Amino acid sequence: MLGGAGLGLAVRAAFAARGLGDYAEDGGTALTPLLHGDLHAYWTAHPAMGDLSLLVRAPFAALAYLGDPTPLAFYRWGVLPCVASVALLGLWLARIARARGVDRLGQLLIVVLAVANPLTTSAIQQGHPEELLTASLCVGALVAACAQRCVLTGVLLGLALACKQWSVVAVLPVLFALERGRARTLLGALALAALVTAPEVLGAPATFLRNQLALAREHSVESSSWSWWWPLTPSSTRYLTYGGATHAVTLHRLPEALVQSLHSLIIVLDTALALLLARLRGLPLRRDDAFALLAAVLLLRCTLDTETMPYYHAALYLDLLAWDALSTRRLPLRALAGAALSWALFDRFTASFLGVWPSSLLYGAATALIAVALARSLALTATVMRPAARAGVKAA
């Protein structure tokens, strides 16, 4: 019944897409030639994602030929497996929660919240369903790691790396949750990611290298209001003419040198945080520490990017949902709070409702409070439990 509910919600979400969003200029540039068997055009396209989601979406998108093969139909069918991956994660988490004694209402909420939330809607409407697939793979890898299932951990982590580049921030939190076999798991994940990517690399190596280097440095110098950079950067006014009228648009621009190094900066900060926690706590990380660490690195990925969009937070939200499923015996309160906060920040109290400055400050305050809560969970400012003491607690 839970599986049917999750699948039904996934189908409804996929086919509720009203437009293509960025799909036509991003994923569609590679998926369309792939559907027509034009491998050269597929290999030389420049989508801002890895190959996995395109390969997964292609057979579903081809089902559009059974009806009216419009661009929107291709897109909706291609969205379906990405949303279904989130539903499958929710079902897996519900089964784990049931084994821990969570009642039927809690299990149902886990499945429903996994799919029916503002961040899933944002990813679909803005043309980036691959974010949902990547998020479910990253969080699934951590769930498998906490269960000490090394092979499954390596498979899910490798698929995540082959799906979208930002998934690299999940590598250390996942590996540090394992008691053994970290090196083998990492090598297996990298081998699987390489295997998925190999056809594109062999088909057009120069194009692949240029695209990856461009994505590593690509950022908008104009900060999104959903970013910690927006209130910290100087503003400038540009006058744009559209709709037959001239409009004043306020932009917040970062120095280009900083913008081009932001991806590297985020990865360095995430790595430093993971290594610091590993040094203070010892390895393997406790379950709560592992989920809090993954949440922290995903939060930094969202808040320090200049192009932050609501769907960036999907992986963070699913991490909170999984954390609930593995730790609570009642309702998934973290996920419920995350869904409510996402609705407030991205659907209700937006720039069009409050104005850009209040909306940006509200986002900054909310995410700063989340950062403080995660820091408290990680106990970086409290007395650190030494590994030997923690071993004694486990033995007791």
Side-chain angles (χ1 to χ4, degrees), residues 49-52 133-134 137-138 154-171 185-194 196-197 212:
M49 64 192 73
D51 289 281
L52 181 72
L133 179 58
T134 310
L137 289 169
C138 287
V155 169
L156 294 176
L157 185 59
L159 292 176
L161 293 172
C163 195
K164 203 153 190 181
Q165 292 82 353
W166 63 257
S167 60
V168 69
V169 304
V171 170
T185 301
L186 176 60
L187 291 176
L190 293 176
L192 180 57
V196 174
T197 311
Q212 299 308 309

Side-chain angles (χ1 to χ4, degrees), residues 31-74:
L31 187 55
T32 299
L34 183 60
L35 289 172
H36 291 88
D38 189 347
L39 294 181
H40 181 267
Y42 167 71
W43 289 330
T44 53
H46 300 87
M49 64 192 73
D51 289 281
L52 181 72
S53 79
L54 298 169
L55 298 175
V56 169
R57 291 154 71 180
F60 288 86
L63 294 175
Y65 287 113
L66 299 177
D68 184 16
T70 63
L72 183 58
F74 285 121

Side-chain angles (χ1 to χ4, degrees), residues 84-298:
S85 72
V86 179
L88 289 174
L89 175 64
L91 181 61
W92 183 18
L93 295 176
R95 290 173 62 88
I96 294 173
R98 181 178 64 186
R100 298 185 58 260
V102 175
D103 61 20
R104 292 178 181 176
L105 176 60
Q107 297 171 46
L108 179 62
L109 277 175
I110 288 172
V111 174
V112 171
L113 287 172
V115 183
N117 62 78
L119 304 175
T120 297
T121 303
S122 171
I124 294 171
Q125 299 300 342
Q126 297 188 43
H128 291 281
E130 76 282 351
E131 289 279 335
L132 302 175
L133 179 58
T134 310
S136 61
L137 289 169
C138 287
V139 175
L142 182 56
V143 173
C146 289
Q148 304 307 316
R149 300 174 64 179
C150 295
V151 174
L152 181 59
T153 300
V155 169
L156 294 176
L157 185 59
L159 292 176
L161 293 172
C163 195
K164 203 153 190 181
Q165 292 82 353
W166 63 257
S167 60
V168 69
V169 304
V171 170
L172 290 183
V174 169
L175 293 179
F176 286 175
L178 292 172
E179 293 179 358
R180 63 188 184 280
R182 297 187 193 97
R184 291 195 302 272
T185 301
L186 176 60
L187 291 176
L190 293 176
L192 180 57
L195 180 63
V196 174
T197 311
E200 181 184 359
V201 176
L202 297 176
T207 300
F208 175 82
L209 180 60
R210 283 196 303 270
N211 190 34
Q212 299 308 309
L213 292 176
L215 291 173
R217 297 167 60 87
E218 182 185 37
H219 268 287
S220 172
V221 295
E222 297 163 0
S223 174
S224 161
S225 61
W226 290 311
S227 170
W228 284 354
W229 295 109
W230 198 89
L232 302 177
T233 52
S235 62
S236 61
T237 301
R238 179 180 298 177
Y239 294 92
L240 302 177
T241 301
Y242 57 91
T246 301
H247 304 267
V249 179
T250 300
L251 304 175
H252 286 242
R253 301 176 64 88
L254 279 75
E256 188 171 348
L258 174 62
V259 167
Q260 291 184 352
S261 62
L262 272 182
H263 281 151
S264 300
L265 174 63
I266 293 170
I267 292 173
V268 168
L269 290 176
D270 290 343
T271 302
L273 178 59
L275 293 176
L276 175 62
L277 183 64
R279 180 176 178 82
L280 293 176
R281 290 298 207 188
L283 296 180
L285 294 179
R286 297 182 302 165
R287 178 198 62 210
D288 288 349
D289 285 341
F291 278 101
L293 175 59
L294 181 59
V297 300
L298 291 171

